[in-house]
Amino acid sequence: MIRKAIIKRNINTSEEIHHVVGHNGSVFFKILFKYFCYLAFLLLVFLLLDRYIVWNYLSRVFAGLWLILFVKFCIDFCDIYLDCLVMTDSWITLYLREWLLEYKTDHFDWNTIETISFNQKWFRDRVFMKGDITITLDHWIEYPFEDISNPKKQVDKILQLKGRFTAPAPEENPEKESQKFDILVEALWEVVKDYIDKDNVSY
């Protein structure tokens, strides 16, 4: 709910959000493990320095470093959590969070989308049931969105929404086409008739 509210405000749409595709949980595990290693390293350095250096402010300095690292972790976590594909009535929006207050949005009208495909690169992608989605526009411009859960299922869902919201091609009116053909035949007949009449007069 919080993610939808933030995204809806940033993409500036009054339309209903029908579906949101985010990153796979393994991405969050990766960033969690990375920052855990950073914290463990800082703790190890602190213990070594505290053993050989007598300084009253040492613990405060490292406490400040841990706090800064934790804040950075929260920002990076939110950046990844808010990255998503958003589907509304009129378009798909690729929403990418880049920093605390920076973000990027790309809007794709349903009618401009040529293909939507998925790719699973490695065996671990199949194990974690994750992969990448690529949106190809009618100018063959590709927009990838990486590391999502159940890519095949998500592509099927997006294609269903595309079929639902894509404007149908204008239907041909057989009666109107027939009228045009009759007019053309009549015009050709008049030309042929005039030619025959002139030919008969010349004789």
Side-chain angles (χ1 to χ4, degrees):
M1 293 297 293
I2 297 176
R3 177 168 68 177
K4 273 191 176 183
I6 294 173
I7 292 168
K8 193 166 186 177
R9 183 188 64 192
N10 288 337
I11 66 175
N12 194 24
T13 180
S14 58
E15 296 180 348
E16 179 185 355
I17 294 177
H18 296 282
H19 189 54
V20 176
V21 179
H23 288 296
N24 180 266
S26 62
V27 179
F28 301 101
F29 177 78
K30 187 189 299 182
I31 189 173
L32 183 64
F33 179 75
K34 181 177 74 173
Y35 278 93
F36 176 79
C37 291
Y38 289 161
L39 288 171
F41 175 75
L42 282 177
L43 179 60
L44 181 61
V45 172
F46 169 73
L47 293 175
L48 290 173
L49 291 178
D50 188 53
R51 184 173 182 180
Y52 298 104
I53 297 177
V54 178
W55 188 31
N56 295 332
Y57 294 101
L58 185 64
S59 59
R60 294 182 183 180
V61 170
F62 275 87
L65 291 175
W66 288 327
L67 180 60
I68 292 172
L69 198 60
F70 177 74
V71 171
K72 180 68 167 58
F73 164 75
C74 292
I75 293 173
D76 289 350
F77 184 90
C78 288
D79 286 348
I80 295 175
Y81 176 71
L82 292 174
D83 287 352
C84 59
L85 285 170
V86 184
M87 274 127 270
T88 62
D89 294 355
S90 302
W91 52 60
I92 295 181
T93 300
L94 177 60
Y95 179 85
L96 298 175
R97 198 82 182 185
E98 296 183 342
W99 187 236
L100 187 60
L101 298 175
E102 297 179 8
Y103 60 90
K104 176 185 176 184
T105 56
D106 289 306
H107 300 284
F108 316 120
D109 187 275
W110 288 109
N111 292 305
T112 64
I113 297 175
E114 189 72 24
T115 61
I116 302 172
S117 58
F118 74 94
N119 182 33
Q120 291 178 297
K121 300 176 183 176
W122 310 103
F123 176 73
R124 66 180 180 181
D125 285 353
R126 293 179 175 84
V127 172
F128 288 104
M129 297 181 65
K130 72 182 183 74
D132 306 334
I133 281 181
T134 301
I135 297 173
T136 305
L137 304 184
D138 51 9
H139 299 293
W140 298 106
I141 302 173
E142 294 185 346
Y143 289 86
F145 186 59
E146 300 178 345
D147 296 323
I148 67 164
S149 299
N150 299 311
K152 185 179 184 304
K153 183 178 178 181
Q154 297 293 355
V155 167
D156 290 342
K157 176 68 175 179
I158 296 171
L159 289 175
Q160 288 178 6
L161 291 172
K162 183 179 185 299
R164 177 180 169 187
F165 296 121
T166 300
E171 296 182 2
E172 295 182 356
N173 191 339
E175 186 176 342
K176 191 173 181 180
E177 293 296 325
S178 177
Q179 290 176 355
K180 289 181 179 179
F181 181 74
D182 291 341
I183 293 172
L184 179 62
V185 170
E186 186 176 350
L188 288 173
W189 169 246
E190 290 294 335
V191 172
V192 172
K193 185 179 178 183
D194 289 344
Y195 177 77
I196 293 175
D197 290 344
K198 289 179 181 179
D199 193 50
N200 289 334
V201 170
S202 64
Y203 280 110

